[in-house]
């Protein structure tokens, strides 16, 4: 050791044996799914704090501050009403209370699109955090989608007020908005896990998410009645009505609007889609756990 | 430390030949110097490579005398599909023990900070293995903090990020505020802080929990005298609790006073490992010890560049 020479390392097998002998754990090894889920649960306070702090931080730095959480969705509804309610009046076909229909659709979809795009960037946008602290990385997609959910609640409140003013009578059915949003959240989170891994491996895909959500926005019937359009188009019409995004919009609308009715088939499909997105999405994300944070 | 382990070492020490001898599990444990404590970290041939997007392709011609066509193609290829790989750490191995403080020296871009992140479990390594005990923490860097939030909320966020519970953070709140010395500023958004105040608060938050292995990267801190004094206090605290400390510093003096052992990294390779006086003396003279028999280290077409 005294003479200047390069250190001779232990043989790999010896290093592993030495580590095992002293009960050292291997860093960067993927934890088991059960243990991973348990550590994720232990970090729930951190996940929630990160989500609320981010939501708060996003509206800071302007004179009106947190009021923007209400103003932004209101202005958005104004724009969409002008275009699809007044200028392109054909979009109103088949809907009695078009404004309510539009408001519920726009706000629900707003959460879906912002949730997907934030979740996709959740690892890359918080790379500094990933490189500074050790925690189960699944905290990030969960936390950023929670942020979007928190930020959509003021808009949801605005939505309820608008729907009230449009003459819809409050009833117990309105409460089904909560399970509907819960399913939407679960579905978005599941897709988010998938996107987060894909984007962190290949950042280029982040650019495709807005394109995809734009396409979905039109296909899912955010601004017009898909039912009216799909009538008499056979199997393709049925698919268009029952695909996940359109279905979730229908569930949310059925909660607030009396003219939209759903059956237990809609709810069953909603649950199935949410589970089919969440479970494989979570496992897919966990499989790459040891690789997040590498460039 | 466990008494049984010590017995193991002293009993087998004579029977054991030199380092590098293959052996069974218990034989491997003997390679540890019996004066030292139990190993807290074993690093085995770690390589770290990372991608850099949008850089110039390595080996692309840059001369002015090339044709216009060539230059256009080169310029385009710098922006499209240009991914270079940086091989920052090349096969580093060492064993760290309880109560040891280890300095890492090397020139800019030698891979010190990258190695530190990898052994803290924060940056995935490409090859090799890192084994560690308990929790590793990088001091003074707490990227969980948000400028738009008050210091108060940031303390909660940073504390939870370190793995404390809400109650634990509340219990330590006053101590953190006192230690940071920012007083009533804690109720203002962090954007309003001077950089010194923000650094002090970050430091105070990150020391709220004493880890098993503490990593200090002075290159990432403000590095003022105050920070160095507090780092030193923290180092003593961790060593007292039988932890291990790693220190990356540009200042050889800081390493000499705080560490008894030093690692010298040169272009991502560990060229010397020994008592800090010996290593620092060699480092000052710039004499790199020759590589063992295998010959000069191959550069294999990649560059060892600064991490950021």
């Amino acid at each position: 050791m005294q003479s200047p020479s390069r250190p001779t390392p232990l043989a790999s097998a010896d290093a592993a044996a030495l580590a095992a002998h002293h009960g050292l754990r291997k860093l960067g090894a993927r934890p088991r799914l059960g243990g991973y889920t348990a550590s994720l649960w232990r970090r729930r306070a951190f996940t929630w704090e990160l989500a609320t702090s981010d939501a708060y931080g996003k509206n800071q730095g302007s004179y009106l501050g947190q009021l923007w959480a209400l103003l932004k969705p209101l202005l958005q509804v104004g724009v969409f009403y002008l275009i699809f309610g007044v200028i392109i009046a054909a979009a109103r076909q088949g809907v009695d209370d078009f404004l309510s229909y539009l408001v519920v659709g726009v706000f629900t979809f707003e959460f879906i699109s912002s949730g997907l795009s934030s979740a996709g960037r959740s690892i890359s946008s918080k790379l500094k955090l990933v490189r500074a602290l050790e925690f189960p990385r699944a905290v990030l997609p969960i936390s950023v989608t929670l942020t979007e959910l928190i930020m959509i609640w003021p808009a949801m409140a605005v939505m309820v007020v608008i729907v009230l003013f449009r003459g819809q009578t409050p009833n117990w059915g309105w409460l089904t908005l909560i399970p509907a949003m819960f399913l939407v959240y679960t579905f978005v989170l599941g897709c988010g896990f998938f996107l987060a891994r894909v984007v962190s491996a290949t950042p280029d895909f982040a650019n495709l998410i807005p394109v995809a959500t734009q396409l979905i926005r039109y296909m899912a019937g955010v601004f017009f009645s898909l039912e009216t359009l799909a009538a008499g188009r056979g199997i393709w019409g049925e698919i268009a009505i029952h695909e996940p995004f359109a279905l979730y919009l229908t569930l949310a609308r059925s909660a607030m609007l009396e003219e939209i009715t759903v059956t237990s088939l809609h709810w069953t499909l909603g649950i199935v889609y949410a589970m089919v997105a969440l479970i494989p999405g979570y496992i897919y994300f966990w499989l790459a756990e040891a690789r997040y944070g590498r460039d | 430390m466990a008494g049984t382990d010590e017995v193991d070492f002293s009993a087998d020490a004579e029977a054991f030949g030199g380092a590098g001898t293959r052996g069974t599990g218990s034989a491997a444990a003997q390679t540890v110097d019996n004066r030292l404590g139990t190993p807290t970290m074993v690093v085995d041939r770690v390589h770290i490579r990372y991608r850099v997007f949008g850089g110039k392709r390595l080996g692309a011609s840059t001369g002015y005398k090339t044709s216009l066509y060539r230059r256009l193609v080169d310029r385009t290829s710098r922006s499209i599909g240009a991914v270079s790989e940086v091989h920052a750490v090349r096969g580093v191995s060492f064993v760290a023990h309880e109560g040891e403080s280890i300095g890492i020296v090397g020139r800019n871009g030698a891979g010190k900070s990258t190695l530190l992140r990898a052994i803290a479990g924060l940056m995935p390594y490409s090859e090799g293995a890192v084994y560690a005990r308990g929790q590793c923490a990088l001091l003074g860097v707490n990227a969980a903090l948000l400028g738009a939030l008050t210091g108060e909320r940031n303390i909660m966020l940073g504390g939870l990020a370190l793995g404390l519970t809400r109650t634990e953070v509340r219990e330590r709140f006053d101590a953190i505020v006192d230690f940071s010395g920012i007083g009533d500023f804690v109720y203002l958004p962090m954007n309003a802080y001077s950089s010194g105040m923000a650094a002090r608060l970050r430091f105070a938050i990150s020391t709220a929990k004493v880890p098993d292995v503490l990593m200090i990267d002075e290159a990432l801190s403000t590095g003022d005298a105050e920070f160095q004094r507090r780092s030193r206090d923290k180092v003593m605290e961790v060593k007292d609790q039988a932890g291990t400390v790693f220190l990356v510093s540009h200042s050889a003096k800081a390493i000499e006073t705080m560490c008894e052992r030093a690692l010298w990294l040169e272009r991502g390779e560990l060229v010397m490992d020994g008592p800090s006086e010996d290593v620092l003396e060699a480092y000052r003279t710039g004499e790199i010890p020759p590589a063992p028999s295998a010959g000069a280290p191959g550069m294999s077409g990649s560059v060892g560049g600064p991490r950021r």
Side-chain angles (χ1 to χ4, degrees):
Chain A
M1 197 182 265
Q2 271 68 31
S3 64
S5 67
R6 298 209 180 185
T8 3
L10 290 170
S12 287
D14 290 346
L18 178 67
H21 183 81
H22 294 286
L24 308 184
R25 74 197 160 94
K26 190 176 177 192
L27 295 184
R30 189 180 62 219
R32 286 164 167 276
L33 189 57
Y36 185 69
T37 311
S39 64
L40 194 57
W41 174 248
R42 278 196 299 276
R43 289 307 204 114
R44 62 193 181 279
F46 172 51
T47 311
W48 181 249
E49 190 70 24
L50 193 60
T52 50
S53 305
D54 263 351
Y56 187 84
K58 278 189 181 173
N59 282 321
Q60 280 302 93
S62 57
Y63 285 108
L64 296 179
Q66 302 301 324
L67 198 58
W68 280 110
L70 286 172
L71 291 177
K72 274 190 287 194
L74 267 178
L75 291 172
Q76 217 180 357
V77 169
V79 170
F80 286 129
Y81 188 73
L82 180 70
I83 297 169
F84 296 97
V86 180
I87 300 175
I88 313 176
R92 312 182 57 146
Q93 260 179 3
V95 189
D96 295 334
D97 184 359
F98 184 69
L99 185 62
S100 301
Y101 186 89
L102 185 70
V103 167
V104 181
V106 166
F107 288 173
T108 309
F109 196 79
E110 183 58 30
F111 167 69
I112 295 177
S113 71
S114 58
L116 289 179
S117 93
S118 309
R121 294 173 201 270
S122 59
I123 301 288
S124 46
S125 67
K126 295 218 172 346
L127 206 55
K128 272 170 76 185
L129 189 59
V130 170
R131 296 248 175 90
L133 293 162
E134 203 185 351
F135 57 88
R137 305 310 186 200
V139 161
L140 295 178
I142 297 175
S143 152
V144 298
T145 42
L146 275 176
T147 301
E148 301 299 342
L149 191 63
I150 294 165
M151 288 178 67
I152 207 73
W153 279 115
M156 291 277 162
V158 169
M159 177 181 99
V160 170
V161 174
I162 292 176
V163 171
L164 261 178
F165 271 93
R166 294 294 298 175
Q168 300 278 347
T169 38
N171 56 65
W172 292 110
W174 283 20
L175 287 179
T176 58
L177 184 67
I178 293 165
M181 285 307 288
F182 178 76
L183 289 180
V184 173
Y185 176 77
T186 313
F187 179 76
V188 166
L189 178 63
C191 298
F193 276 131
F194 179 79
L195 292 173
R197 173 172 167 181
V198 170
V199 171
S200 87
T202 317
D204 306 53
F205 284 108
N207 298 322
L208 298 182
I209 297 176
V211 181
T213 47
Q214 193 72 347
L215 178 69
I216 298 166
R217 193 190 298 269
Y218 289 102
M219 301 238 312
V222 174
F223 318 108
F224 49 84
S225 167
L226 209 57
E227 274 78 6
T228 316
L229 223 71
R233 300 219 178 176
I235 185 77
W236 293 110
E238 288 302 308
I239 291 174
I241 294 170
H242 293 101
E243 56 93 9
F245 298 99
L247 182 102
Y248 286 128
L249 291 189
T250 310
L251 283 183
R253 280 169 177 151
S254 77
M256 303 303 297
L257 276 72
E258 269 168 38
E259 60 184 299
I260 310 290
T261 50
V262 287
T263 60
S264 57
L265 171 74
H266 287 87
W267 284 100
T268 315
L269 271 179
I271 294 167
V272 169
Y273 288 148
M275 287 299 120
V276 164
L278 183 68
I279 295 165
Y282 178 63
I283 292 172
Y284 182 75
F285 183 88
W286 160 77
L287 283 171
E289 175 71 9
R291 295 206 289 274
Y292 299 118
R294 182 189 295 168
D295 264 333
Chain B
M1 72 189 77
T4 50
D5 285 349
E6 278 204 76
V7 174
D8 263 4
F9 296 153
S10 42
D12 298 333
E14 295 141 88
F16 190 68
T21 312
R22 295 293 303 267
T24 60
S26 60
Q30 299 151 15
T31 58
V32 180
D33 192 326
N34 58 8
R35 286 165 300 161
L36 293 166
T38 321
T40 49
M41 179 170 274
V42 177
V43 177
D44 178 31
R45 291 176 183 76
V46 160
H47 286 263
I48 301 162
R49 298 188 190 88
Y50 53 85
R51 290 177 300 179
V52 178
F53 289 101
K56 190 176 66 185
R57 273 239 174 93
L58 292 163
S61 75
T62 45
Y64 287 103
K65 286 179 180 170
T66 46
S67 69
L68 175 67
Y69 169 74
R70 192 67 246 165
R71 270 183 285 156
L72 277 176
V73 168
D74 284 348
R75 218 173 261 192
T76 315
S77 71
R78 269 176 230 172
S79 312
I80 301 172
V83 183
S84 350
E85 196 185 64
V86 176
H87 196 163
V89 173
R90 303 149 183 261
V92 170
S93 305
F94 61 86
V95 177
H97 308 88
E98 275 182 353
E100 249 190 327
S101 57
I102 303 174
I104 303 179
V105 292
R107 290 181 296 183
N108 278 332
K112 304 183 295 287
S113 298
T114 312
L115 177 67
L116 205 63
R117 284 215 151 84
I119 61 182
L122 301 171
M123 207 173 149
Y125 43 87
S126 323
E127 265 176 63
V130 178
Y131 306 90
R133 187 176 73 182
Q135 214 200 6
C136 307
L138 198 59
L139 187 68
V141 187
N142 197 330
L145 307 188
L146 295 170
L149 302 183
T150 60
E152 191 184 12
R153 273 197 86 167
N154 268 313
I155 291 175
M156 179 56 79
L157 181 61
L160 291 172
L162 287 172
L164 298 171
T165 64
R166 276 185 196 279
T167 340
E168 283 171 330
V169 179
R170 275 185 214 112
E171 280 165 11
R172 291 167 208 212
F173 183 82
D174 291 333
I176 293 172
V177 176
D178 287 348
F179 188 58
S180 70
I182 58 168
D184 282 345
F185 266 89
V186 76
Y187 301 109
L188 285 182
M190 271 188 81
N191 287 335
Y193 294 13
S194 72
S195 53
M197 287 163 77
R200 288 210 300 273
L201 181 62
R202 268 200 298 277
F203 189 83
I205 293 173
S206 64
T207 53
K209 198 178 177 189
V210 179
D212 293 293
V213 180
L214 178 72
M215 322 254 173
I216 303 173
D217 192 344
E218 287 194 345
L220 298 173
S221 72
T222 48
D224 57 6
E226 175 82 356
F227 179 84
Q228 287 183 357
R229 191 177 59 76
R230 289 186 170 175
S231 304
R232 239 154 268 187
D233 294 347
K234 203 69 202 173
V235 168
M236 297 323 289
E237 194 182 337
V238 171
K239 284 171 77 175
D240 288 347
Q241 297 189 18
T244 303
V245 178
F246 285 92
L247 172 69
V248 165
S249 178
H250 291 301
S251 146
K253 207 173 159 238
I255 289 182
E256 209 155 21
T257 52
M258 286 163 79
C259 308
E260 61 262 24
R261 180 180 168 192
L263 307 178
W264 177 8
L265 281 187
E266 191 69 33
R267 285 183 169 256
E269 283 181 277
L270 182 62
V271 292
M272 207 172 164
D273 174 2
S276 46
E277 309 91 72
D278 297 359
V279 175
L280 287 168
E281 201 189 311
Y283 178 61
R284 282 198 195 98
T285 57
E287 274 175 52
I288 301 172
S293 61
M299 286 294 112
S300 67
S302 35
V303 288
R307 180 64 197 91
R308 241 160 246 279

